[in-house]
Every structure is written in C-alpha cells, then in structure tokens.
Amino acid sequence: TDYRIFTVEWDETENCIIVGSSERSNLILSLKERMEWDLKRLDMIIHQLDNRKAGYTADDIVASFQSNTEGQSLFNFMQGIIVRLKQMGKIRTAENYSCTLKSFMQFRGNRDVLLSEIDSDLMQLYEAYLHGKGAVRNTSSFYMRILRAVYNRAVEKELVIQRFPFRHVYTGVERTTKRAVPLRAIKQLMTLDLSLHPAKRFARDMLLLSFYTRGMSMIDMVFLKKKDLNNGILSYRRKKTGQQLFVKWEPCMQEIVDRYNIPGSPYLLPIIARPGMDERKQYINASHRINRYLKAIGKELGLSVPLTHYVARHSWASAARSKNIPISVISEGMGHDSENTTRIYLTTLDTATIDKANRLILNSLCRE
C-alpha cells in the first residue's frame, strides 16, 4: 500500500493504527478507515471466490484486489470520497456518505457493483428496497442524492459514461411536517421551573440559547470558543457551510452562558468536557441526551410538535416571518446560502389562519 505512518502511531499488540489528538489525527483516522475498508474488500473477494466452488490461491486474491480499482468499484470509489471528506474536515458530510454506503451495501448483500453497472433499473430496485423497509420519500431521496453526487463525481473523472441512472427515482424534497413551535411555546419554556431537574434545565437552556442566537445549530453551539465572543459580538463559522456569522450578544444569552461556565475551559459551553479527546463523540452523545430530555419536556407541555434542539431553528425562522421580516433578512440571519433553503424552514400559513380566511370567503358568499 501507499500508507505511511510513524512507529508511535502503530499498536503492536492490537495490530491497529493509533488515532491520537495530534495535527495528523485526521490523516491517521482516514488511513485507519481505509485499512478497515481494504480488509472488508478482501473478505468480499474471498467470499466471491469461495462461491465459485473452484480452487484459488493467495495470488488470485491479490490480483482481484489490485484490479478492483477506484474507477471500477462503487464501494471502493465511494469509500475514497469519504476518506477525502474527512481529511478536509467535512465530518458531517462524510458521515452522511458513510450512512448511504452502508445502506446500499445492505441492499446489495455486500456484493460490490461496478460503476458501469449502475443503471436506472438498479436505482429503482434500491428505491423499492428502501420503501419496503419503511423509509419515507425524503429518506430515500436523501440516499439517492448522495449516490447521484458520487456517480457524477465518477463521470467528471471520466471513470464512467453518464447514463442518467437516477432519472426514474425520486430525488426531490417533500414538505415535512411542521417542526416549529409558536412564540407562546417558547415563552412557556422560558418560565418553566426546572430547578429540581438539572438535566432537563440544561436541555431547555440549550434550545433557548439556539433560539436567542437566530437558530444556531447544535454543532455550532457546542464548539463555540470563549475567544469567539468579543466586544458584545459573537462571531463563528457554520460547520455546514463555512459561512461566517456575527450575532449581537444579548443579556438573555449571557445569563445562560454564566450558568454553565467552566473556568479554564476554552469552550463557551460545558459540552466538550475533555478538550482534545474524541470531541466529535462527546458532541454526538450530548446531542442525543439533550434531545431526549427535550422530547420529554415537550410531552409534559402537550406540544403538538416533538421538541428537539432543531425546533429552535425552525421556530426562529417562523417567528421572524410572522413579524413580517423579509425572507432575505431571515436567510442572512440564519446563514443560508439561498432564500430557497430558508423557505423550507418557514411554515406555511397556520391552518387556523387558512380556515379563518376560508370562513371570510364563505361568509361573503352567503351575504351576496
């Protein structure tokens, strides 16, 4: 292989790469995952040779492994993309690609497929497989869009001829159920006495802080540094898009931060308790924990929308729209790259509002 590491980065006892917290950690992690993928490929090759019911040698395995180049195999080509995404620091995108690859591998029964074999029939079968397992159209579309991006990348590299294999499967985004709560629900959360339930109180405060900061996402909140707050302005870059945002710091925000301040920690919030130690895992665990408590709070309040941290983002957008704030301003405030993205967040007119409008129309008919 072309993998190169230092002696101290190899565990002789466990026969594996050691992923530390050095500047090389992203590179080392990508090599570790590439090696794991190579082992999976070898297992698949051996399994395929076993199924032929004929003799084979170690040389046959090596020859098959070396001929299964990135330009031929979807699994290998996609794994290569995942590794590069992680090297570029696009961890969330890499996780989405990994999830898609795992799903497609399950559909294929771990049987690899050549890029040239990807056609419309295969994608329709995969879509039917997803729906058969209970996936909604937005979920199947999510996987399809990622596979399409991978396929188009292969076309760009001239590894396969464009055959438009995704033209007969759904790749759009359907309007999902309402995920925003009204301002009165936010006020309910603000006044809720959770002093006897510290975990619930912390979860509630994280949702409120997100709402106060124009719907800041969980991952952006978690990794805020104390140095990001200067002269009454909080500045940060969105992990998702890299866009830099500036938020005027308000007393309600400071009240929450003061409540959970950890002296000596570089972070504004106490979620990363062990800086430099698998911070991504700490964030994921905290996110699950916060959302679990938020859902419990939402049920206690009788909210019609399952309460999660992400509700704050939708709620801020809807609240801003209800105050007749232009979509362009809302889009800028949320760090969206286009107003079309913002429109997805905004709830359409509340059902009660539409019913009221219909009643007015029907009443006018009766009068006439």
Side-chain angles (χ1 to χ4, degrees):
T1 71
D2 60 353
Y3 309 150
R4 299 289 181 268
I5 61 171
F6 293 108
T7 307
V8 294
E9 295 168 339
W10 181 256
D11 187 328
E12 289 278 1
T13 305
E14 299 295 332
N15 285 323
C16 67
I17 287 179
I18 300 170
V19 181
S21 58
S22 66
E23 295 179 356
R24 284 168 52 85
S25 58
N26 279 345
L27 173 63
I28 296 302
L29 179 61
S30 68
L31 291 181
K32 180 175 182 291
E33 292 180 346
R34 196 63 187 253
M35 286 178 62
E36 290 172 352
W37 174 248
D38 284 345
L39 288 172
K40 287 180 182 178
R41 286 178 57 208
L42 285 167
D43 282 340
M44 285 189 287
I45 289 169
I46 293 169
H47 181 68
Q48 289 167 355
L49 291 172
D50 279 339
N51 287 340
R52 293 177 185 175
K53 308 296 184 184
Y56 61 91
T57 67
D59 287 339
D60 293 328
I61 298 172
V62 173
S64 181
F65 182 89
Q66 291 177 338
S67 67
N68 192 8
T69 59
E70 190 172 82
Q72 294 176 322
S73 159
L74 171 65
F75 292 0
N76 197 36
F77 180 67
M78 197 164 176
Q79 183 63 24
I81 292 175
I82 292 167
V83 168
R84 285 191 291 275
L85 286 170
K86 290 186 176 180
Q87 288 174 336
M88 291 186 291
K90 297 182 177 181
I91 306 300
R92 181 58 177 166
T93 305
E95 288 175 349
N96 289 338
Y97 275 57
S98 295
C99 182
T100 303
L101 177 58
K102 181 180 178 181
S103 170
F104 194 76
M105 288 177 71
Q106 289 173 343
F107 159 67
R108 291 281 302 169
N110 285 329
R111 290 175 292 105
D112 208 343
V113 59
L114 300 179
L115 290 169
S116 58
E117 293 176 325
I118 297 175
D119 58 17
S120 180
D121 289 342
L122 180 63
M123 290 302 103
Q124 287 183 83
L125 285 172
Y126 178 47
E127 183 180 56
Y129 163 83
L130 291 172
H131 292 166
K133 290 180 68 68
V136 298
R137 287 197 358 132
N138 274 352
T139 300
S140 64
S141 175
F142 173 79
Y143 290 140
M144 291 297 176
R145 292 198 306 274
I146 289 178
L147 287 173
R148 183 176 62 186
V150 171
Y151 183 83
N152 288 340
R153 181 85 60 92
V155 172
E156 288 176 7
K157 290 179 173 290
E158 299 183 349
L159 300 174
V160 66
I161 298 172
Q162 178 63 268
R163 299 169 64 188
F164 303 103
F166 300 90
R167 58 188 166 187
H168 296 308
V169 294
Y170 182 68
T171 56
V173 179
E174 288 188 334
R175 180 177 293 162
T176 56
T177 55
K178 183 178 176 181
R179 299 175 73 177
V181 295
L183 278 175
R184 65 177 180 274
I186 299 295
K187 290 178 181 178
Q188 271 186 292
L189 288 167
M190 291 172 63
T191 57
L192 194 61
D193 183 7
L194 294 171
S195 54
L196 298 179
H197 305 279
K200 284 185 177 180
R201 185 186 188 186
F202 180 71
R204 183 273 310 273
D205 287 348
M206 292 303 98
L207 182 144
L208 289 178
L209 184 59
S210 173
F211 185 85
Y212 296 159
T213 53
R214 309 193 308 242
M216 189 186 299
S217 67
M218 172 71 81
I219 191 168
D220 291 331
M221 282 178 50
V222 167
F223 291 100
L224 287 175
K225 298 284 185 68
K226 291 177 179 177
K227 65 181 181 180
D228 296 332
L229 181 57
N230 277 303
N231 301 318
I233 300 294
L234 177 70
S235 63
Y236 72 98
R237 287 192 181 277
R238 290 198 67 203
K239 295 284 186 183
K240 187 174 182 179
T241 63
Q243 182 178 354
Q244 188 168 21
L245 297 179
F246 300 91
V247 179
K248 186 177 184 301
W249 200 244
E250 302 287 353
C252 58
M253 306 172 191
Q254 189 62 45
E255 181 184 347
I256 291 177
V257 168
D258 286 342
R259 191 176 297 153
Y260 302 105
N261 178 50
I262 297 181
S265 172
Y267 290 104
L268 201 61
L269 296 170
I271 294 174
I272 304 300
R274 301 181 305 281
M277 300 290 290
D278 205 348
E279 295 182 348
R280 178 87 184 167
K281 187 175 182 179
Q282 292 183 64
Y283 148 66
I284 292 172
N285 290 341
S287 178
H288 290 324
R289 189 164 55 249
I290 287 169
N291 281 328
R292 186 168 64 251
Y293 285 118
L294 285 176
K295 287 177 181 177
I297 294 171
K299 288 181 180 179
E300 291 168 9
L301 293 178
L303 299 180
S304 59
V305 175
L307 196 62
T308 67
H309 189 271
Y310 205 58
V311 165
R313 190 162 173 81
H314 283 261
S315 299
W316 186 87
S318 293
R321 187 58 175 157
S322 71
K323 301 296 183 184
N324 295 318
I325 296 173
I327 290 181
S328 59
V329 176
I330 300 173
S331 182
E332 183 72 21
M334 299 182 74
H336 286 156
D337 51 10
S338 75
E339 291 183 19
N340 288 334
T341 305
T342 309
R343 292 179 192 278
I344 296 173
Y345 280 80
L346 298 175
T347 56
T348 54
L349 287 174
D350 187 73
T351 304
T353 305
I354 297 173
D355 290 341
K356 183 178 179 180
N358 190 45
R359 192 182 310 117
L360 288 171
I361 294 170
L362 295 179
N363 287 343
S364 65
L365 281 174
C366 294
R367 285 195 299 271
E368 295 175 5

